[in-house]
Amino acid sequence: MRNIELIKIRKDLGYSQHDMAEKMGISFSSLRRYETGERNIPEELNQRIKEIREELEKKIHVHIDYLKITFFGTTVKTVIEKVLGAEYSWFIRKRQKIHNYDTGYILGNIVIRENEKESRQGVLVEMTGEGVREFEILLKERGLVLVEWFSKIMNEWIGWYYTNFHSTRLDIAIDEMYNCSGKNFQLRRLLEKRQDKEHKLIVTPLRKFHVQDGDKAGENTGLTLYFGSRGTDNLYIRLYEKRYKLALDQGKSVEYILQTVGIWNRYELELGKNYTGVVFSWLDQGRTLEQVALDLFLSKFEVYDKIEDKQTGGVELVYCKDFYDLFDDYSGIEIKSPKKEWCIENSMRHLQLQYGGILKLAEIYLGGKQNLHSWIDEVVENAEIDEEKEHQVRFERYLYEIQGIE
């Protein structure tokens, strides 16, 4: 791809250089060099640009947002090197008393836990959504994808690297993407249907229901609907207006979030151990993650509209077309990892936006760029950094390198 094509695509999408760089997972300075033609655009980024364009046409994105697996009859070193395929030396060891574990091993957003005094506790692998994204990059280096890894831990590796395993939690996020034509589903309609006492417009086996609808410190947090009991071994579902949460977390407007991140609602499944084993088996049998997620989700809900017969005065219940249209076509669904929530790039961008003007004033005060650079070098030389943050940044740098991204 030529630089002028990249510029045209960015402008067609309506993105600033900062927004496009964030979407591509590169720094602002790298994007600028690609657009000016100082550097050639690598094939990996050509593919990412294509994916960005295709994302705008998707209605639904599906990804794993949290994963917890415990391996028994093994060691931390074996799990890290053989099961995860990482280097033991990459992890930072810390004394952490959480639940029945006393030691943690941390790499980015991937955490390994053990009880050094009680090996029967097993070795716990815990990943946030960002940790899953990082792990997928490591798997790609080994020529694997996440579903294939699930198959290996169920079949090939059991008995060799560990005697048994189980997963006590697996979260799957179904993100409804923003449709600029205004055809997104309004969660408030589900609340109104749930509050209709006369007609059963929502049928679900999940008996417990809770709603959160209000402001937080004067900020609109959006509507959240909870179905089921959290922290059990079964299924817990949370439906919420993700755009409001992202806007609050990032200190941006909802409109900015819709134009850059593009998420409207999130339909989140929190699966306990009564479900995780079944899900792993389905994936091992060849079912895709989006098929599993949507089949589980839609099996727990029947959503109806009521149509009044003006002649008889009766009411007929029909399936809610707008709700089911959202999930009607698996081909319109994309499996993807969640966008990065924290990384050094975000911190650098914050530095640029918040303190760029101050650095410019410092340049004037110090008498030019050379004196400013000398002063910055001195500040950096004397700066103290958190060891864990340094480790994570070096890990992020490694992830970029194995993806071929500068």
Side-chain angles (χ1 to χ4, degrees), residues 3 9 23 52 59 124 174 225 232 296 302 309 312 315 333 382 384-385:
N3 64 313
I9 290 172
K23 278 282 188 182
I52 292 171
K59 290 194 294 185
L124 172 68
I174 305 170
L225 308 178
T232 67
L296 276 173
E302 292 179 26
D309 189 319
T312 65
V315 173
I333 299 169
N382 296 318
E384 295 183 1
I385 57 176

Side-chain angles (χ1 to χ4, degrees), residues 163-220:
T163 58
N164 199 4
F165 79 95
H166 70 224
S167 174
T168 54
R169 182 173 164 190
L170 172 66
D171 293 4
I172 303 177
I174 305 170
D175 286 336
E176 176 188 353
M177 306 311 293
Y178 173 58
N179 187 321
C180 59
S181 64
K183 294 182 179 179
N184 286 105
F185 186 77
Q186 300 294 335
L187 273 186
R188 197 161 297 278
R189 291 184 60 192
L190 289 184
L191 177 60
E192 293 168 353
K193 292 176 185 299
R194 183 65 174 71
Q195 293 172 336
D196 189 323
K197 303 299 183 182
E198 184 178 356
H199 308 94
K200 294 192 71 172
L201 301 180
I202 295 182
V203 179
T204 175
L206 303 172
R207 297 181 180 180
K208 193 170 182 180
F209 173 75
H210 174 63
V211 58
Q212 181 179 327
D213 185 12
D215 292 345
K216 182 179 180 181
E219 298 286 347
N220 188 354

Side-chain angles (χ1 to χ4, degrees), residues 35 55 74 100 106 115 150 152 175 207 220 226 228 270 277 309 318 322 367 402:
E35 289 198 349
E55 282 175 11
T74 187
N100 294 321
I106 302 168
N115 186 324
F150 285 141
K152 286 183 178 295
D175 286 336
R207 297 181 180 180
N220 188 354
Y226 303 89
E270 184 177 308
D309 189 319
V318 298
D322 291 344
I402 65 177

Side-chain angles (χ1 to χ4, degrees), residues 299-402:
S299 71
K300 300 302 178 183
F301 289 96
E302 292 179 26
V303 182
Y304 296 95
D305 284 332
K306 58 183 179 182
I307 299 177
E308 296 183 5
D309 189 319
K310 295 182 179 179
Q311 293 182 342
T312 65
V315 173
E316 179 187 1
L317 299 186
V318 298
Y319 283 114
C320 179
K321 184 177 185 302
D322 291 344
F323 179 77
Y324 287 101
D325 279 351
L326 179 62
F327 308 104
D328 64 351
D329 184 5
Y330 285 163
S331 66
I333 299 169
E334 179 187 31
I335 305 178
K336 65 187 288 291
S337 296
K339 195 163 77 76
K340 295 185 71 174
E341 296 170 357
W342 184 92
C343 67
I344 187 61
E345 292 285 357
N346 290 342
S347 298
M348 291 170 64
R349 183 181 178 190
H350 175 75
L351 176 67
Q352 181 180 16
L353 294 175
Q354 297 296 322
Y355 301 106
I358 295 177
L359 290 174
K360 185 65 178 177
L361 293 174
E363 177 189 334
I364 297 172
Y365 175 76
L366 294 171
K369 283 187 172 60
Q370 185 173 351
N371 291 338
L372 174 66
H373 292 166
S374 298
W375 177 74
I376 291 176
D377 288 343
E378 183 180 349
V379 170
V380 171
E381 182 68 27
N382 296 318
E384 295 183 1
I385 57 176
D386 180 84
E387 181 185 2
E388 189 172 330
K389 280 288 194 295
E390 179 186 5
H391 206 74
Q392 178 163 342
V393 169
R394 292 188 183 280
F395 178 52
E396 287 183 13
R397 180 67 253 170
Y398 171 75
L399 294 179
Y400 278 132
E401 288 173 356
I402 65 177

